[in-house]
Amino acid sequence: QVHLMESGGDSVQPGGSLRLACSKSGPRVGAMGWFRLVPGKKEREAVASIANDYSTTYKESVKGRFTISRDDDENSLYLQMNNLNTEDTGTYYCAAAGGTWTRLGRLLFPSDIRYWGQGTQVTVSA
């Protein structure tokens, strides 16, 4: 059984930075990603995804500000978030798909996900 646990959420001012981490236990997984649930929305949206070959995709609004990375030796997934703005406020979830993914050409869909973390809160406010 795969278990995912996020850390690193915090409250920051606009323009600030945070680094989210996700610790994975259990067998290998496929593509991984970060999703978020923002206030007023009912469904989680994909923010960044990374395949087994380390190819990445990003939500348009975070391109150039967020960087996703994974360390399979350390069973960890990261999201470096720079130049945060108030629209980045939300609960961030670590997620993993099964199988093996290469040449990732799109963001993961919620329907791709087999395992979810419990989420970590990111609040961006002045």
Side-chain angles (χ1 to χ4, degrees):
Q1 181 68 21
V2 172
H3 181 66
L4 303 173
M5 180 173 291
E6 304 92 340
S7 61
D10 205 342
S11 295
V12 297
Q13 294 185 338
S17 296
L18 284 175
R19 187 185 193 223
L20 304 184
C22 173
S23 176
K24 181 190 77 68
S25 61
R28 72 175 298 281
V29 296
M32 299 186 74
W34 289 95
F35 287 72
R36 68 187 180 192
L37 183 61
V38 301
K41 294 289 184 68
K42 294 184 178 180
E43 295 186 354
R44 288 176 277 207
E45 62 180 15
V47 175
S49 305
I50 186 167
N52 294 96
D53 65 355
Y54 305 102
S55 56
T56 58
T57 55
Y58 295 91
K59 180 179 173 62
E60 192 64 33
S61 64
V62 308
K63 284 181 180 178
R65 301 188 298 121
F66 290 12
T67 302
I68 188 172
S69 61
R70 64 189 289 174
D71 185 334
D72 292 324
D73 291 336
E74 296 293 330
N75 289 313
S76 296
L77 179 73
Y78 303 98
L79 186 68
Q80 177 66 42
M81 304 187 294
N82 299 326
N83 194 21
L84 286 159
N85 59 59
T86 56
E87 295 181 346
D88 296 317
T89 293
T91 303
Y92 284 69
Y93 297 88
C94 174
T100 300
W101 295 60
T102 59
R103 296 187 297 275
L104 190 64
R106 60 169 176 83
L107 286 165
L108 292 173
F109 300 142
S111 57
D112 294 321
I113 302 304
R114 186 177 296 180
Y115 309 105
W116 293 96
Q118 293 193 332
T120 186
Q121 179 66 34
V122 171
T123 302
V124 185
S125 64

